[in-house]
């Protein structure tokens, strides 16, 4: 599996020959200022919730790539209203077989609305099980006991967790989350985009290492092998 980070919560995972893009936010994303949106590829786009820092470029990227957009039914409804037809509604539950692997919608403790204030359903995380490996994209979430369910469904190779605090988990809670999901390889997102989610990344890495875990924080534009 390969992971390309674009900044904030925008990233793609290439697994089993398909590229899965998450939460496309390029316009107005200070972390993505050097990313060429025209070069962003996607066979699938999974959207965790409706907030602008997860959907700002969703409609344009969906139309440009023709990717299958997978999200809560309310997000799918909004996409259809905006002329995106290649969609699959999901809610807490699953798994659903998407060919490259299966995806399950899981709880995220957060909120979800669009920038215009319209309702976007419940926020979601996603658990993927594929022949090439398993991973969890938490989306925006606080630490929640529900994360303890995830090992029932998947032995994770890595997990993508928010670590910026304020709106989501901070590094200390992400370490607890890593214990809950029984995964020691964590990819951090949703940090250092703005001062309100600023963290000390060296301290975070050291705290993860002291807990016997790895915190991966590549620069926007970097691709890593997982
Ligand atoms: Ni959010
Ligand atoms: Mn967010």
């Amino acid at each position: 599996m390969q992971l390309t980070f674009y900044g904030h919560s925008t990233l793609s995972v290439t697994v089993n020959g398909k590229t899965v893009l998450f939460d496309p936010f390029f316009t107005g994303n200070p972390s993505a200022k050097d990313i060429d949106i025209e070069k962003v590829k996607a066979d699938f786009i999974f959207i965790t919730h409706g907030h602008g820092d997860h959907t700002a470029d969703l409609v344009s990227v969906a139309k440009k790539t023709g990717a299958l957009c997978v999200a809560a039914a309310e997000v799918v409804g909004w996409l259809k209203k905006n002329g995106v037809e290649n969609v699959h509604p999901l809610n807490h539950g699953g798994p659903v077989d998407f060919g490259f692997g299966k995806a399950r919608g899981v709880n995220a403790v957060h909120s979800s609305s669009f920038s215009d204030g319209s309702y976007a359903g419940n926020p979601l995380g996603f658990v993927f099980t594929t022949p090439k490996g398993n991973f969890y994209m938490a989306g925006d979430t606080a630490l929640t006991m529900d994360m303890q369910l995830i090992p029932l469904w998947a032995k994770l190779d890595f997990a993508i967790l928010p670590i910026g605090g304020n709106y989501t988990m901070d590094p200390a809670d992400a370490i607890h989350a890593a214990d809950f999901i029984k995964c020691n390889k964590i990819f951090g997102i949703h940090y250092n985009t703005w001062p309100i989610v600023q963290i000390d990344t060296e301290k975070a890495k050291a705290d993860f290492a002291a807990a016997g875990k790895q915190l991966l924080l590549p620069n926007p534009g970097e691709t890593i092998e997982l």
Side-chain angles (χ1 to χ4, degrees):
M1 291 181 282
Q2 276 185 333
L3 190 154
T4 300
F5 186 50
Y6 294 117
H8 197 57
S9 293
T10 307
L11 58 101
S12 65
V13 176
T14 300
V15 54
N16 208 11
K18 297 293 178 189
T19 297
V20 182
L21 177 69
F22 294 95
D23 291 359
F25 169 44
F26 300 96
T27 307
N29 180 351
S31 300
K33 62 183 188 312
D34 297 325
I35 305 294
D36 181 357
I37 190 169
E38 296 302 318
K39 292 193 176 139
V40 173
K41 292 197 169 62
D43 298 301
F44 295 83
I45 305 173
F46 279 70
I47 306 102
T48 61
H49 65 298
H51 289 159
D53 59 321
H54 300 259
T55 58
D57 296 284
L58 173 55
V59 169
S60 63
V61 173
K63 286 180 178 171
K64 188 171 65 69
T65 60
L68 179 66
C69 295
V70 183
E74 294 83 354
V75 173
V76 159
W78 179 84
L79 279 166
K80 283 184 174 170
K81 253 192 268 173
N82 284 281
V84 177
E85 292 297 331
N86 195 18
V87 292
H88 183 104
L90 194 68
N91 212 323
H92 303 91
V96 178
D97 193 342
F98 288 102
F100 68 93
K102 293 177 180 173
R104 183 185 285 274
V106 299
N107 201 25
V109 176
H110 194 64
S111 55
S112 185
S113 56
F114 293 105
S115 299
D116 62 5
S118 61
Y119 178 61
N122 287 310
L124 292 175
F126 303 107
V127 175
F128 295 86
T129 49
T130 85
K132 298 291 166 71
N134 304 329
F135 64 101
Y136 166 45
M137 164 52 159
D140 281 11
T141 184
L143 182 65
T144 166
M145 296 293 278
D146 290 350
M147 290 169 178
Q148 295 186 21
L149 293 171
I150 291 172
L152 300 181
W153 301 316
K155 187 176 183 332
L156 299 173
D157 294 285
F158 68 93
I160 302 156
L161 302 180
I163 58 169
N166 194 82
Y167 303 113
T168 69
M169 296 190 287
D170 65 358
D173 276 354
I175 290 171
H176 294 308
D179 284 331
F180 283 1
I181 62 177
K182 297 191 166 82
C183 181
N184 287 332
K185 189 179 279 190
I186 303 301
F187 186 93
I189 56 169
H190 217 274
Y191 70 96
N192 288 8
T193 319
W194 302 285
I196 198 167
V197 292
Q198 199 77 32
I199 63 161
D200 179 339
T201 53
E202 289 312 308
K203 181 180 186 307
K205 282 184 186 174
D207 289 349
F208 269 73
K213 304 177 197 310
Q214 192 182 10
L215 179 63
L216 301 165
L217 302 176
N219 292 315
E222 271 186 56
T223 297
I224 55 173
E225 221 30 83
L226 286 158

